[in-house]
Amino acid sequence: MEKNNLSKQQIDKNLVKKRFARSAQSYGKYAIVQQRMAKKLVQKLLLATNNHTYNTIFDIGCGDGTLTKLLLAQFHPETLIANDIVDDFQQQIATIVQKHPATNTKFTAGDIEAIPLPDNIDLIASNAVFQWLNHLELFYKRLVKQIKPTSTIAFTTFGTNTLPEIKQITGQSLNYLPFNEHHKLISKYFKIIYAHEETDIQYFENPIEILKNLKQMGVNAIKPRHWKRRDLIAFSEEYTQNFTHNNKVRLTYNPIYFILKRKTD
Ligand SMILES: C[S@@+](CC[C@H](N)C(=O)[O-])C[C@H]1O[C@@H](n2cnc3c(N)ncnc32)[C@H](O)[C@@H]1O
């Protein structure tokens, strides 16, 4: 199978928008790893910041509201600002916030690398989004200028060992940074309160189920790819040969968690 080595390529934001918009209805059903990450992020946030509460929360790349729901239920903020590059998620967020009438909600659509960041935020949160950014360091520089001395940032992303099976066969992968590089970069700008990486392996009946799963989550937004029948057969054979365990095929994720504050010096 022809491999595309995309390791230095920029992310095509229009394609990201298109693929995530298409997955808007199915994402919640398939994004099992991202749901686990959202839950764990909130748990770690509570522990690391001693059950602190937040009046104003900004959720970057909120998607269908997987993390947003948990933030609302846990912190009952006065104000929630939800952002996503896909405008259509506004409807899903509106449905979620109906259950929280005491919270004022605003949805700001747009690429977080291009739109202005809001002021006066107590908690900036984001689950499984930053791997889609092109200029992470520039983004951190903007964040650190924007936050208050008391603000907290809590986010998850994915490290290098994410979907290595797909990369090995197709050559396609996002430019995932290893955990230690994230750590090094972040410590230039922020005080790290919590940092953790883990491996999360999912098992599927066959490789075609894996491709479907990635599509339903919008995670296939790296490069347009038109699979021919023979590509699918070759992909399935190679995948099965290399990654079968107890009659199932595996798919590996490498979730990364960070909780940050502004540096005091
Ligand atoms: C893997 S989903 C995560 C959704 C949600 N945060 C969750 O907890 O499951 C990634 C989300 O990030 C959004 N996204 C990707 N790139 C973005 C960008 N540059 N600016 C804003 N949102 C972005 C996508 O549209 C998608 O909804």
Side-chain angles (χ1 to χ4, degrees):
M1 151 168 270
E2 190 199 333
K3 299 187 188 197
N4 292 303
N5 197 334
L6 298 170
S7 56
K8 293 281 177 251
Q9 284 201 15
Q10 292 283 294
I11 287 166
D12 175 348
K13 300 286 175 93
N14 283 328
L15 187 63
V16 170
K17 211 171 153 175
K18 204 162 127 191
R19 293 285 158 88
F20 277 107
R22 209 184 278 168
S23 74
Q25 300 308 323
S26 53
Y27 177 85
K29 192 169 154 208
Y30 293 89
I32 307 297
V33 174
Q34 291 84 341
Q35 282 161 17
R36 278 205 281 265
M37 288 162 71
K39 271 192 199 137
K40 183 161 172 170
L41 183 67
V42 173
Q43 281 165 4
K44 294 298 169 189
L45 180 59
L46 287 169
L47 278 175
T49 57
N50 233 342
N51 293 325
H52 191 76
T53 54
Y54 303 96
N55 285 335
T56 307
I57 298 181
F58 182 39
D59 184 1
I60 299 173
C62 60
D64 73 339
T66 299
L67 176 64
T68 325
K69 270 183 221 159
L70 303 179
L71 294 171
L72 286 168
Q74 185 61 52
F75 299 115
H76 309 287
E78 274 168 26
T79 306
L80 167 81
I81 307 175
N83 150 267
D84 204 281
I85 197 167
V86 176
D87 318 25
D88 296 356
F89 283 122
Q90 181 161 11
Q91 269 83 46
Q92 272 156 283
I93 297 299
T95 310
I96 292 170
V97 295
Q98 271 171 11
K99 294 182 192 138
H100 300 269
T103 299
N104 296 312
T105 309
K106 191 176 158 204
F107 185 88
T108 48
D111 175 1
I112 197 63
E113 291 192 278
I115 62 170
L117 298 171
D119 292 321
N120 273 323
I121 302 296
D122 297 306
L123 172 66
I124 296 177
S126 184
N127 184 41
V129 179
F130 292 179
Q131 69 280 4
W132 294 105
L133 304 189
N134 277 322
H135 305 287
L136 205 49
E137 180 155 15
L138 213 64
F139 176 65
Y140 289 146
K141 279 187 189 168
R142 287 176 63 218
L143 265 189
V144 81
K145 275 198 201 135
Q146 194 67 12
I147 58 172
K148 304 189 282 188
T150 52
S151 305
T152 303
I153 301 175
F155 74 89
T156 72
T157 186
F158 291 104
T160 325
N161 195 28
T162 298
L163 315 182
E165 299 87 357
I166 304 289
K167 186 176 182 185
Q168 184 178 316
I169 299 180
T170 66
Q172 287 214 16
S173 172
L174 285 175
N175 300 325
Y176 298 111
L177 270 190
F179 175 72
N180 54 359
E181 279 187 37
H182 271 290
H183 202 285
K184 213 163 102 189
L185 182 60
I186 286 168
S187 44
K188 271 167 79 175
Y189 301 99
F190 302 97
K191 182 164 113 189
I192 298 178
I193 308 290
Y194 175 78
H196 177 69
E197 77 166 330
E198 62 197 14
T199 303
D200 193 332
I201 300 179
Q202 288 200 295
Y203 291 92
F204 294 83
E205 291 303 323
N206 58 60
I208 301 300
E209 287 302 308
I210 290 182
L211 289 181
K212 277 192 202 150
N213 183 275
L214 294 175
K215 189 173 173 190
Q216 304 287 7
M217 290 190 296
V219 177
N220 56 341
I222 303 168
K223 196 177 179 234
R225 189 183 179 102
H226 303 289
W227 292 77
K228 298 203 177 82
R229 196 175 137 73
R230 66 163 187 273
D231 293 330
L232 282 175
I233 294 170
F235 174 84
S236 281
E237 281 176 3
E238 199 176 336
Y239 206 106
T240 309
Q241 235 169 47
N242 287 287
F243 308 117
T244 299
H245 303 267
N246 297 327
N247 290 325
K248 300 230 175 193
V249 282
R250 72 153 204 254
L251 186 63
T252 309
Y253 287 86
N254 177 200
I256 286 179
Y257 302 78
F258 277 102
I259 298 175
L260 316 171
K261 289 283 219 183
R262 209 162 94 171
K263 278 187 171 172
T264 39
D265 48 319

